[in-house]
Amino acid sequence: MAMTNLAVIFYSSTGTITRIAREMARAAQAEGAEVRLRKVAELAPQEAIDSVPGWAENLERTADIPPATPDDMVWADAVIFGTPTRFGNVASQLKQFIDTLGGLQAQGLLAGKVYSGFTSTATPHGGHESTLLALGNTFHHFGGVIVPPGYTDAAHGNPYGTSHFTGNGTVPVGEPTLAAARAQATRVARFAAAIRSVRFAA
């Protein structure tokens, strides 16, 4: 049987989500999945990018990561979306990519896949859960199988998905967040493999 296909699709401005996404990709590969790590397009004007420390640098550091396309969604058995919170909601850059998927959704090509999400916020109560719950609304419309981490692993402090508090850029991603990311990606890969096996056996 072919490998499980898993896509990690994310938006990151200053690098926090990038760090988590890379760790999730490695964990899913270690679980035996074929992984596509993809970033969505940047929409912010250059003057905004230049005004925030680390934003331009992150764009340079992620130059090796291919842009996400609708084909990545069709290819994948599982998709993990990553986004920083924006006023307790999904960042516009990731939402713009999602908004291009209406044709695939209408054809049923996004249904029956495993979906999960992760996020980061600047402040301790800045929208961790609300951002992930908002992302989940999309998964319902896709007809997806939502696989959150829950409290299934000691690494998880957020049952909705891995999340990190950046302290307005003063708290780098550390081992607790990376451990949660690995556990979530492993769980998603295992569920996707199980669903794929049932689909091919039917």
Side-chain angles (χ1 to χ4, degrees):
M1 186 178 295
M3 282 179 142
T4 300
N5 296 334
L6 188 148
V8 180
I9 298 176
F10 71 95
Y11 170 71
S12 182
S13 54
T14 58
T16 299
I17 293 295
T18 301
R19 180 75 178 89
I20 299 170
R22 289 187 187 275
E23 191 71 8
M24 285 193 165
R26 281 191 287 268
Q29 287 174 329
E31 188 60 25
E34 183 173 349
V35 176
R36 289 185 183 179
L37 181 65
R38 299 289 188 266
K39 63 181 181 182
V40 300
E42 179 59 78
L43 304 177
Q46 191 62 46
E47 56 267 27
I49 294 170
D50 292 339
S51 70
V52 177
W55 199 340
E57 289 86 345
N58 182 61
L59 283 173
E60 293 177 6
R61 287 194 302 269
T62 58
D64 63 311
I65 301 176
T69 69
D71 176 68
D72 296 316
M73 299 292 298
V74 176
W75 168 86
D77 300 303
V79 181
I80 307 176
F81 282 117
T83 175
T85 187
R86 294 291 183 264
F87 303 106
N89 214 317
V90 178
S92 60
Q93 288 88 343
L94 181 61
K95 185 62 166 60
Q96 193 276 336
F97 172 75
I98 291 171
D99 287 347
T100 69
L101 303 176
L104 297 181
Q105 186 272 336
Q107 297 174 66
L109 296 176
L110 304 180
K113 301 175 185 289
V114 169
Y115 294 96
S116 199
F118 62 98
T119 192
S120 67
T121 69
T123 56
H125 302 288
H128 297 263
E129 286 84 1
S130 64
T131 299
L132 292 170
L133 288 170
L135 190 56
N137 292 334
T138 297
F139 305 155
H140 287 289
H141 281 261
F142 287 170
V145 179
I146 302 173
V147 177
Y151 292 114
T152 59
D153 190 282
H156 284 296
N158 187 338
Y160 302 97
T162 299
S163 62
H164 182 72
F165 155 58
T166 69
N168 288 305
T170 64
V171 182
V173 176
E175 181 54 29
T177 300
L178 296 176
R182 290 191 294 270
Q184 183 176 353
T186 299
R187 178 172 164 82
V188 168
R190 288 175 179 172
F191 268 83
I195 291 172
R196 182 185 175 94
S197 69
V198 170
R199 186 185 305 130
F200 275 82

